[in-house]
């Protein structure tokens, strides 16, 4: 309140830069607080406040050496504050158009709401001294999934073991099921893909986007089911959503898997790099998962499966292989 009075009265001499930062703080803070209060329904979510100097120092002023990945209208950085590593999420002021401002605050509220879920990065704090709030999350110690469901460390790709890939798929399914079922109003994520752990416009990534949603602009829980089906194919086979097929032509993984399934050649679905040291039981496990994923990508929503059932099916496949 005192800061707002000073800004109105002009009693405090400030530089244009500091005035702009304080205006951002007030505007961002008021919008964020309003959204959070409305969303939390009286439940307390403790979020620490970070200063812009802490954020800039941690990311070396958002230097490329701290860059992790870029998705849509936000960028992830890694940084250290007070001897602790964090993941820092910055929304791009150049990519957030007027009609997408609401998406930014929905994203923040969703992050706060999901902080207690074990399969989401925990939101620890934020900084309001930028055009859009900068969010500070716990550090992703095991890295970030790349476009093939692996992990890139120091520029080199590391293939994850099949058991871990299945665990990742199962936990993402559990997280999406939680979004769909845990709140009075269902939450649809809409952009499920490896590079990630609402709808005035169509939001999503080509290849993962539900064609029914794209055609009608009507979003349902089955929009996420479709995208998750494609993600599961990517994670379990080690192939990108688009890749060069055996004939030298670019192919989408969904069409590729469908073709192999129709011709009884699912044994060829796994990326050759992942085939090494895989047992016959593990290959059957992959085949079971991609067949399941095809069900998630049916054209009619009536033929798809709810996310809670998706999670149960993946758990069944995992336990069946462990017992056999």
């Amino acid at each position: 309140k005192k800061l707002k009075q000073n800004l109105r009265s002009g009693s405090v001499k400030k530089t244009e830069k500091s005035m702009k930062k304080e205006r951002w703080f007030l505007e961002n803070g008021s919008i964020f607080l309003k959204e959070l209060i409305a969303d939390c329904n009286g439940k307390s979510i403790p979020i620490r406040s970070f200063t812009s100097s802490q954020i800039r120092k941690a990311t070396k002023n958002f230097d490329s050496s701290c860059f992790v990945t870029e998705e849509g209208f936000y960028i992830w950085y890694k940084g250290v504050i007070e001897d602790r590593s964090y993941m820092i999420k910055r929304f791009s002021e150049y990519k957030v158009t007027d009609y997408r401002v609401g998406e930014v605050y929905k994203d923040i509220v969703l992050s706060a709401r999901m902080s207690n879920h074990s399969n989401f990065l925990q939101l620890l704090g934020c900084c309001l001294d930028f055009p859009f709030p900068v969010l500070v999350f716990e550090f992703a110690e095991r890295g970030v999934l790349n476009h093939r469901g692996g992990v890139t460390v120091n520029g080199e790709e590391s293939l994850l073991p099949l058991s871990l890939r299945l665990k990742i798929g199962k936990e993402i399914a559990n997280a999406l099921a939680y979004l769909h079922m845990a709140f009075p109003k269902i939450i649809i994520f809409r952009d499920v893909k490896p590079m990630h752990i609402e709808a005035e416009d169509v939001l999503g990534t080509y290849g993962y986007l539900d064609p029914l949603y794209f055609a009608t602009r009507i979003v349902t829980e089955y929009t996420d089911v479709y995208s998750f089906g494609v993600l599961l194919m990517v994670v379990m086979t080690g192939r990108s959503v688009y890749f060069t097929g055996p004939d030298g032509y670019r192919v989408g993984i969904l069409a590729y898997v469908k073709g192999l399934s129709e011709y009884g050649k699912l044994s060829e679905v796994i990326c050759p790099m992942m085939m090494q040291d895989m047992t016959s039981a593990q290959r059957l496990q992959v085949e079971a998962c991609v067949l399941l994923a095809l069900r998630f990508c049916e054209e009619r929503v009536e033929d798809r499966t709810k996310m809670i059932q998706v999670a149960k099916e993946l758990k069944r496949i995992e336990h069946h292989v462990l017992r056999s």
Side-chain angles (χ1 to χ4, degrees):
K1 288 182 179 179
K2 184 176 181 181
L3 174 59
K4 193 174 257 187
Q5 289 173 355
N6 288 337
L7 287 173
R8 286 174 176 171
S9 65
S11 60
V12 180
K13 293 183 179 179
K14 296 182 181 295
T15 65
E16 182 179 348
K17 184 177 180 180
S18 65
M19 291 284 285
K20 183 181 292 185
K21 187 170 73 171
E22 288 170 351
R23 186 171 67 251
W24 286 339
F25 184 93
L26 288 171
E27 292 176 354
N28 288 332
S30 62
I31 296 173
F32 179 52
L33 186 60
K34 181 181 178 181
E35 290 282 346
L36 200 56
I37 290 173
D39 184 77
C40 295
N41 195 27
K43 297 179 181 179
S44 174
I45 300 179
I47 298 176
R48 177 183 172 185
S49 177
F50 291 89
T51 66
S52 58
S53 59
Q54 285 178 306
I55 299 297
R56 292 190 182 280
K57 183 179 178 180
T59 61
K60 300 177 184 176
N61 199 22
F62 302 106
D63 187 76
S64 59
S65 63
C66 298
F67 172 85
V68 176
T69 187
E70 182 174 2
E71 294 300 322
F73 48 85
Y74 57 84
I75 305 172
W76 286 96
Y77 296 88
K78 57 185 177 183
V80 177
I81 302 175
E82 297 171 357
D83 299 322
R84 179 177 177 180
S85 296
Y86 294 97
M87 298 290 289
I88 297 172
K89 186 176 184 179
R90 183 189 191 189
F91 296 95
S92 173
E93 55 190 285
Y94 305 106
K95 293 186 177 181
V96 179
T97 52
D98 290 343
Y99 69 88
R100 268 192 160 170
V101 171
E103 301 293 340
V104 171
Y105 290 99
K106 288 177 184 177
D107 186 282
I108 296 169
V109 171
L110 177 60
S111 297
R113 174 187 266 186
M114 298 302 295
S115 282
N116 293 326
H117 194 285
S118 60
N119 294 329
F120 281 78
L121 278 181
Q122 184 179 5
L123 176 63
L124 302 175
C126 68
C127 176
L128 301 176
D129 298 338
F130 292 93
F132 295 103
V134 172
L135 307 184
V136 181
F137 291 81
E138 64 178 317
F139 189 66
E141 295 183 4
R142 296 186 179 181
V144 178
L145 289 182
N146 60 26
H147 64 288
R148 296 192 333 124
V151 176
T152 303
V153 180
N154 297 325
E156 295 186 4
E157 183 177 13
S158 175
L159 293 178
L160 300 177
L162 186 63
S163 59
L164 184 54
R165 286 173 179 260
L166 180 54
K167 181 181 179 182
I168 289 170
K170 183 186 68 175
E171 291 185 350
I172 292 174
N174 284 330
L176 288 171
Y178 184 81
L179 284 177
H180 290 183
M181 299 178 64
F183 305 101
K185 184 178 179 180
I186 187 172
I187 299 175
I188 312 298
F189 193 77
R190 291 197 296 168
D191 198 15
V192 182
K193 57 183 179 180
M195 287 75 82
H196 284 156
I197 113 220
E198 308 170 306
E200 289 83 6
D201 63 320
V202 174
L203 176 66
T205 300
Y206 194 58
Y208 293 92
L209 189 64
D210 177 7
L212 187 62
Y213 164 43
F214 182 79
T216 65
R217 298 204 174 194
I218 297 174
V219 61
T220 70
E221 61 186 297
Y222 297 104
T223 303
D224 283 348
V225 173
Y226 181 98
S227 298
F228 177 79
V230 179
L231 175 141
L232 187 61
M233 294 180 198
V234 169
V235 170
M236 294 305 295
T237 66
R239 298 183 184 273
S240 303
V241 67
Y242 288 104
F243 61 95
T244 303
D247 57 0
Y249 290 96
R250 190 168 180 258
V251 62
I253 192 168
L254 178 56
Y256 183 72
V257 171
K258 277 185 177 180
L260 291 179
S261 176
E262 290 171 358
Y263 286 98
K265 296 182 178 180
L266 272 183
S267 58
E268 301 176 15
V269 76
I270 307 170
C271 170
M273 291 178 63
M274 282 185 60
M275 286 289 288
Q276 302 174 12
D277 302 322
M278 282 185 65
T279 66
S280 57
Q282 288 176 322
R283 293 177 188 178
L284 290 174
Q285 186 179 32
V286 173
E287 291 180 21
C289 285
V290 295
L291 283 173
L292 190 63
L294 285 175
R295 284 171 45 197
F296 307 157
C297 298
E298 291 285 354
E299 291 184 9
R300 301 193 320 156
V301 295
E302 296 88 349
D303 297 327
R304 299 177 193 171
T305 310
K306 287 182 177 288
M307 281 309 309
I308 185 64
Q309 190 60 37
V310 171
K312 289 179 180 178
E313 289 285 340
L314 289 175
K315 185 177 181 179
R316 181 189 61 78
I317 292 174
E318 181 184 45
H319 286 193
H320 175 75
V321 173
L322 288 175
R323 290 196 301 267
S324 55

